Amino acid sequence: MKKIQIRNTLKTTSIVSMTTLTLIGCAAHTPDKDNESVATSAPIENVCIGTTDLPDSLSPYFEEVQDEALLTQTLGQPEKGMLCQGKVYQAKADTQVPLYRAWNSTNPHSQFGKWWAFSQPEGLVSKYRSDYEICYQWSPLDKLVSCTLKAGTKVVVGNGQSAMCSKYLTYDVSQSQQVYLAEAEQSLSNCDVKDAVFSWE
């Protein structure tokens, strides 16, 4: 009777030892699937969309110039806003180009900010924010100013970089053209200001 108990004990010990070795081996092995998930989690390359060429209706009023320092001021990193790509242009002597800016009335310096557009805002406010990567924290967009660009002014024309407004909202890169003015107040004339009003459809 004692011999049978000893044999059973040895058999149980052997099974436990084999099970322990098997579990240690599994813990030490990293499945190929885990390696694949690490490889595919690398950041996706940021790709700009749209064009930096001027619309045909505006090209007669500008000439393309080289100003690397000015261009560099406008380019932003992914999810940080500003421009994804751009070109520098200078307004010719006979230019009469209107520019538009939706701005924040609670900030006295917002009217003559650096970011403008060739077209007057229209349609859904949410789409305008998306097209121009304007986070809700940056501006309520409750004012509109339209001005005429002065001759000789350098501008950067480009397409918007992506912008992360919060963990719930990120705007993708945009093909809509934005206009950057380094010194807007000195570069514009004949300005007209309008108030935003509620309009529901």
Side-chain angles (χ1 to χ4, degrees), residues 69-76 81-86 115 156 180:
L70 179 59
L71 178 61
T72 301
Q73 291 177 29
T74 70
L75 301 178
M82 302 179 70
L83 295 183
C84 186
Q85 60 184 354
W115 300 101
V156 180
Y180 176 88

Side-chain angles (χ1 to χ4, degrees), residues 150-176:
K150 291 181 180 179
T153 302
K154 286 183 181 180
V155 300
V156 180
V157 177
N159 314 107
Q161 177 61 276
S162 58
M164 178 183 282
C165 302
S166 72
K167 64 180 181 179
Y168 305 108
L169 176 62
T170 298
Y171 293 127
D172 292 330
V173 292
S174 172
Q175 64 181 357
S176 298

Side-chain angles (χ1 to χ4, degrees), residues 4 12 17 34-35 37 46-47 50 53 71 85 98-99 133 148 168 170 178 186-187 200-201:
I4 294 172
T12 303
S17 299
D34 288 346
N35 291 334
S37 66
N46 186 66
V47 179
D53 295 335
L71 178 61
Q85 60 184 354
L99 293 179
E133 285 90 10
T148 302
Y168 305 108
T170 298
Q178 300 185 39
Q186 290 74 39
S187 305
W200 306 103
E201 295 180 356

Side-chain angles (χ1 to χ4, degrees), residues 21-38:
L21 288 171
T22 303
L23 290 173
I24 292 171
C26 289
H29 175 67
T30 303
D32 291 340
K33 187 175 181 182
D34 288 346
N35 291 334
E36 289 176 4
S37 66
V38 170

Side-chain angles (χ1 to χ4, degrees), residues 71-96:
L71 178 61
T72 301
Q73 291 177 29
T74 70
L75 301 178
Q77 295 297 317
E79 299 186 343
K80 300 297 183 181
M82 302 179 70
L83 295 183
C84 186
Q85 60 184 354
K87 282 183 184 178
V88 182
Y89 296 92
Q90 189 166 21
K92 294 180 180 178
D94 58 349
T95 186
Q96 288 292 318

